[in-house]
Amino acid sequence: MSVDDLNAVLRARRAKLEQLAEQGIAPFAYRFERTHDARHAVAALGGAAGDAPGPDVRVAGRLVSWRAHGKTAFAHLADPSGRLQLYFRRDELGEERYAALDLLDLGDVIGVEGPLFRTKTGEATVRVRAFELLAKSLRPLPFGKEEVVDGRAVLHSGFADAEQRSRQRYADLAVHPDVRELFIARSRMVSAIRRFLDARDYIEVETPVLQPLYGGATAQPFVTHHETLDMPLYLRIADELYLKRLIVGGLERVYEIGHDFRNEGIDRTHNPEFTMLEFYQAYADYRDMMSVVEALVVAAADAVRAEPSLAERVPVFEPPFPRVEWVRALNHALGVDAMALDASALRDAAERVGIEHAATLSRPKILDEMFQVLVEAQLDAPTFVIDYPRELSPLAKPKRGDPSLTERFELFARGKEMANAFSELNDPIDQRARFEAQAALRAAGDQEATGVDEDYLRAMEYGMPPAGGVGIGIDRLFMYLTGTAHIRDVILFPTMRPE
RNA sequence: GCGCCCUUAGCUCAAUUGGCAGAGCAAAUGACUCUUAAUCAUUAGGUUGUAGGUUCGAUUCCUACAGGGCGCACCA
């Protein structure tokens, strides 16, 4: 885009850039020594009563409002900690420097120096003695105007377009302090989870994102190609099989936080790449892992609640969470023994609860759909669903005492799956049989079925201790804790078509 | 992938039945030494998402395409 194509606003800013050059003012600085951020500057003035001047401060940030009155001007500077009012006077700055203020624009990054004082309306303000341009803003940020009504900031004419806010997250963050706070809270939550696991003697590991065989979940993968090896590689859909190899190797407690990739639809709760936490603990079973998950969710919630602007939104948990047995819950909701129904009775039951074309679905699929409608959707408070039917859980160990079930739990909250966990299968004979069943499905055209992972079987044949394993979707956990409806609002740069 | 809806100035939004495309903010010029959605005056800013069609005339009606939103499907 040439300068000729730019609109008048952009041209005006470029013109100022030239005037700055003529005056020998560098529009893009190297550094600025700060003594305070906005919040600490306000605190530094403290309760200084009346006209008592406060200390000198040097603060830097973005110019977000400007009110000129001839020979004086008020402005607000915003930094990550908040906003601070600035007061410019011609008689203090001198005519030349005061005139140079004309070359500033909203959105410029500036640094100022001067004493703090309180205006007659009581607002902590810097009486600017000197200012420096640190970065010229050549493109107007979509600032709204902020009005304070009953002590609360009300934004006028802001940056509302959901598409542009996601595409230009930098602008969204720049003009919306609450968006910054949300992503800061997400980072704090992830840090808290790391501390939680570290404190329990888990070690954080990194396993391959590019995998010759994908597995550990059922999903369409992204496929790429390595030139030198001349072979296809898949972006991982789960971390599971590599983490369990490490259990074989004697790393008894491991976790990984990273992106999984699934080549599927995009909607309110799905992004093609998303953040997954998986952790595995040798010599533990799924009941041990339930306790860990309860404590982990509490720790994550505490970390988010520590962000004051979000505190009210974060649910308070009181472990232990209720446990609901899969079969018993479904039968109770249905009023009959679902597992005992024959094929046609099951179809009729499914259609009564609103499942369409049940005739085309497999038995496990019908059961799963009925469970989703009748039970999962009703689970608002965090609840463990335990002991899934074997036919729904190809990756879990059979339940002790009832081989028709598996030792598996999922954690649900607000009707959404938060975590999925098993007593991990550690029998290589059984594992091979399950892989071969998958391979048969794949040969029959099921794109999501995986092949036989011989290397993983080799690892298991060396002997894998019993272990409990958990997967938790970090994006969804954070959505739940903050009451965020759309996954794109908790991912800094969600996947979108190019403009 | 399917259905419905949306796309107008840098931002937020108007525009009667198909009849000269408007406002606020932002911008430019001027006035103003405690303002805070500052105020006041003046000015500029548009190939109405793109390409076609119907019409004397299209922001408006039709078709296709692009991007987006919502729902469905897929995703245990």
Side-chain angles (χ1 to χ4, degrees):
Chain A
M1 183 191 284
S2 78
V3 173
D4 290 342
D5 296 328
L6 300 177
N7 67 53
V9 177
L10 272 62
R11 280 201 303 272
R13 295 203 173 191
R14 303 237 169 200
K16 288 180 183 178
L17 202 60
E18 289 172 18
Q19 292 177 54
L20 287 164
E22 286 164 14
Q23 298 184 22
I25 299 171
F28 301 103
Y30 284 87
R31 71 188 302 271
F32 183 84
E33 197 84 40
R34 292 192 275 182
T35 62
H36 295 72
D37 64 19
R39 182 151 44 99
H40 287 103
V42 170
L45 184 59
D51 297 338
D56 269 26
V57 295
R58 286 172 62 83
V59 293
R62 223 180 254 287
L63 205 52
V64 295
S65 71
W66 185 256
R67 298 174 297 281
H69 301 78
K71 299 183 184 65
T72 65
F74 285 91
H76 274 97
L77 189 72
D79 71 17
S81 74
R83 294 156 67 98
L84 182 62
Q85 185 167 250
L86 309 178
Y87 182 43
F88 298 90
R89 294 175 59 96
R90 192 171 76 167
D91 57 9
E92 287 190 38
L93 285 166
E95 232 163 275
E96 193 180 317
R97 289 301 287 160
Y98 192 79
L101 291 174
D102 285 344
L103 301 178
L104 297 184
D105 288 295
L106 292 187
D108 285 357
V109 180
I110 65 169
V112 304
E113 177 183 340
L116 290 164
F117 75 108
R118 217 171 270 290
T119 62
K120 73 179 186 191
T121 59
E123 182 167 350
T125 302
V126 181
R127 184 182 297 260
V128 176
R129 181 191 304 130
F131 68 90
E132 274 179 58
L133 178 58
L134 302 178
K136 186 69 191 157
S137 168
L138 293 176
R139 182 179 293 274
L141 277 166
F143 287 117
K145 288 209 159 190
E146 208 175 281
E147 178 188 21
V148 178
V149 178
D150 300 332
R152 267 195 291 185
V154 179
L155 205 61
H156 298 273
S157 301
F159 184 36
D161 185 271
E163 176 188 351
Q164 293 308 325
R165 289 179 61 182
S166 295
R167 285 190 192 283
Q168 300 187 38
R169 186 67 82 198
Y170 36 90
D172 187 33
L173 289 162
V175 305
H176 292 131
D178 55 317
V179 175
R180 287 199 298 267
E181 283 158 10
L182 188 75
F183 283 105
I184 289 168
R186 178 179 167 135
S187 177
R188 300 262 192 269
M189 181 189 84
V190 173
S191 296
I193 289 170
R194 284 200 164 90
R195 283 196 302 278
F196 175 91
L197 291 168
D198 292 345
R200 281 164 176 73
D201 293 327
Y202 285 81
I203 62 165
E204 181 171 9
V205 296
E206 295 168 83
T207 65
V209 171
L210 292 173
Q211 304 181 345
L213 284 173
Y214 57 94
T218 311
Q220 288 280 352
F222 286 91
V223 187
T224 185
H225 185 263
H226 190 277
E227 297 298 336
T228 306
L229 298 177
D230 190 23
M231 61 179 279
L233 285 169
Y234 303 93
L235 276 67
R236 68 179 174 202
I237 59 173
D239 308 3
E240 173 152 348
L241 299 183
Y242 283 94
L243 291 173
K244 289 199 282 201
R245 284 171 168 93
L246 298 177
I247 296 290
V248 169
L251 299 178
E252 292 188 348
R253 297 184 179 200
V254 292
Y255 75 94
E256 180 163 15
I257 296 175
H259 279 197
D260 287 348
F261 305 83
R262 297 184 183 176
N263 203 343
E264 285 157 358
I266 297 176
D267 66 21
R268 236 178 8 205
T269 55
H270 296 84
N271 195 63
E273 62 178 304
F274 59 100
T275 306
M276 180 67 92
L277 162 66
E278 291 192 28
F279 55 98
Y280 294 82
Q281 178 174 331
Y283 308 110
D285 67 8
Y286 76 137
R287 292 195 172 268
D288 298 314
M289 301 318 276
M290 271 187 254
S291 307
V292 179
V293 168
E294 281 169 342
L296 186 148
V297 168
V298 167
D302 288 346
V304 176
R305 203 178 292 110
E307 178 63 48
S309 60
L310 297 174
E312 283 181 18
R313 290 152 66 173
V314 182
V316 176
F317 300 111
E318 290 168 12
F321 302 152
R323 273 96 163 131
V324 170
E325 289 173 37
W326 197 97
V327 173
R328 186 175 293 185
L330 179 61
N331 289 347
H332 182 261
L334 202 57
V336 297
D337 182 356
M339 308 307 281
L341 296 176
D342 66 21
S344 79
L346 184 65
R347 271 202 308 275
D348 292 346
E351 276 162 10
R352 271 202 303 280
V353 302
I355 292 163
E356 290 172 13
H357 39 264
T360 67
L361 300 174
S362 64
R363 182 181 177 88
K365 189 74 188 163
I366 293 174
L367 289 169
D368 190 35
E369 297 245 349
M370 286 171 57
F371 189 82
Q372 284 181 23
V373 170
L374 293 172
V375 184
E376 287 180 10
Q378 313 302 320
L379 297 175
D380 190 50
T383 304
F384 288 119
V385 174
I386 65 172
D387 298 346
Y388 281 64
R390 187 180 187 134
E391 47 200 332
L392 290 178
S393 310
L395 300 166
K397 268 176 98 78
K399 181 173 170 64
R400 282 161 279 187
D402 187 349
S404 72
L405 302 177
T406 54
E407 298 200 356
R408 172 185 181 188
F409 72 81
E410 293 197 355
L411 175 63
F412 286 89
R414 294 210 182 127
K416 297 282 180 209
E417 178 190 338
M418 297 283 138
N420 185 22
F422 315 124
S423 294
E424 298 294 340
L425 188 62
N426 63 337
D427 173 351
I429 308 294
D430 190 352
Q431 181 70 70
R432 177 176 293 278
R434 297 192 194 199
F435 272 149
E436 282 171 355
Q438 286 276 302
L441 287 174
R442 185 178 176 80
D446 184 343
Q447 294 280 314
E448 292 187 346
T450 57
V452 178
D453 190 336
E454 289 291 349
D455 178 73
Y456 179 66
L457 287 170
R458 177 167 60 190
M460 286 189 89
E461 285 166 6
Y462 282 124
M464 176 177 149
V470 178
I472 296 181
I474 292 293
D475 312 277
R476 289 195 184 173
L477 175 62
F478 187 65
M479 287 168 68
Y480 172 65
L481 292 176
T482 56
T484 304
H486 207 302
I487 197 169
R488 68 158 180 242
D489 294 330
V490 300
I491 293 177
L492 283 167
F493 298 101
T495 304
M496 300 184 82
R497 281 199 174 85
E499 284 175 275

